[in-house]
Amino acid sequence: MLTIQRILVPTDLSAGAEEALRHAAFLADWYDAELHLLNVVGRHMHRYEEMRARFPYDGEALDRVLQPEGGVERHLPVHDELAIVQEQVEHASPPTVIAEYAEANDVDLIVMGTRGRRGVDRLLMGSVAEEVVRTTACPVLTVLDGLEVAPGQAFRRILVPVDFSEPSRLAIDHATELAGTYGAEVDLLHVVEEVSLPTAYGVEPIGFAVPEIVDNSEKALARMAEEEIGYEHVAVEVRPGYPSTTILDYVDERNVDLVVIATHGRTGLDRLLMGSVAEKVVRRASCPVFTVKHRGRSLVASRRASASAKKKG
């Protein structure tokens, strides 16, 4: 079972943020966790006065968010059944405040909405969600607006991209526990990355024994599924391609409801030039994404520790 005591929901009072709040409320109720609502407002924002006036939510407003009229029957608690903390901070940089608040309040999980910016707007303005994924130590669940499924029934197929690293094993740990929470099946996907060299290098294309690599990877992935998950509701697949593109294609083809992916903590020029597979998935996936960070906060530390103790015994 996941260990979750405090869940943070950064909110700009938009429809996407309120969708995230509903998912966070489900998890807070399930795990008996404290729910923190954080609104970061700056005078430069065009909705500054509106957010100052509407936040914090009163009980009636909270219940309207949790039980919207004409919406899907969500089976969510009303506000007075939850332990809720609300705080508004005036600041020009929401990601900075979110990261600082999460650290100061020992937050276990951040649940936030994404707006799906594209093109020049995303390039210039950046994405608050991507910045939070990059800078916070705790797991982050990003939720798309418009999910037409009750939060408790939203995730039936969970995808874990696996590169056989320790971070991807951590992602499997979280996905396994989330599958138990939502009654979901788990898919493990490994991408054999294709390598292409510019013709300017003046060398012949590098040959890969792709069928052999795929076959060996499938066997290794099957062993990992048996060792790490150990139950029948799991599927494994290996595909050649480019990681982020292949993951996103798999999501759409298999109607994946949630991606659980580990970040490797790449920073600086390396991250700027190469990008992050996890960030690309957060930015472009057509479903919610749960990110866990290598050497960051784990919600399943006790699970792996107990497994190690059993092996030693």
Side-chain angles (χ1 to χ4, degrees), residues 23-163:
H23 282 266
F26 167 78
L27 289 169
D29 184 50
W30 187 272
Y31 290 100
D32 195 25
E34 195 172 65
L35 191 58
H36 290 240
L37 309 186
L38 174 65
N39 175 239
V40 184
V41 61
R43 293 181 184 275
H44 65 288
M45 298 176 181
H46 73 280
R47 297 175 60 214
Y48 171 79
E49 295 297 341
E50 177 190 352
M51 284 193 281
R52 292 283 292 182
R54 288 180 54 197
F55 194 88
Y57 290 108
D58 60 25
E60 186 177 342
L62 272 173
D63 286 340
R64 281 199 300 268
V65 173
L66 296 176
Q67 307 285 346
E69 292 184 12
V72 177
E73 178 56 48
R74 299 181 184 271
H75 306 289
L76 292 176
V78 293
H79 78 277
D80 57 5
E81 295 174 327
L82 297 168
I84 298 177
V85 176
Q86 301 190 65
E87 184 166 338
Q88 187 173 65
V89 177
E90 191 163 315
H91 198 279
S93 174
T96 299
V97 176
I98 293 166
E100 291 176 351
Y101 187 96
E103 183 176 2
N105 291 274
D106 201 23
V107 167
D108 298 299
L109 173 66
I110 297 173
V111 182
M112 61 189 303
T114 60
R115 295 187 176 186
R117 282 197 186 95
R118 297 291 188 271
V120 175
D121 183 43
R122 199 207 66 80
L123 183 64
L124 294 177
M125 299 300 293
S127 164
V128 173
E130 288 171 45
E131 185 73 15
V132 169
V133 167
R134 184 162 56 247
T135 58
T136 57
C138 65
V140 180
L141 172 61
T142 55
V143 178
L144 294 171
D145 183 23
L147 295 177
E148 296 297 327
V149 183
Q153 303 167 351
F155 307 139
R156 289 291 182 255
R157 181 175 293 275
I158 298 174
L159 170 64
V160 187
V162 173
D163 62 4

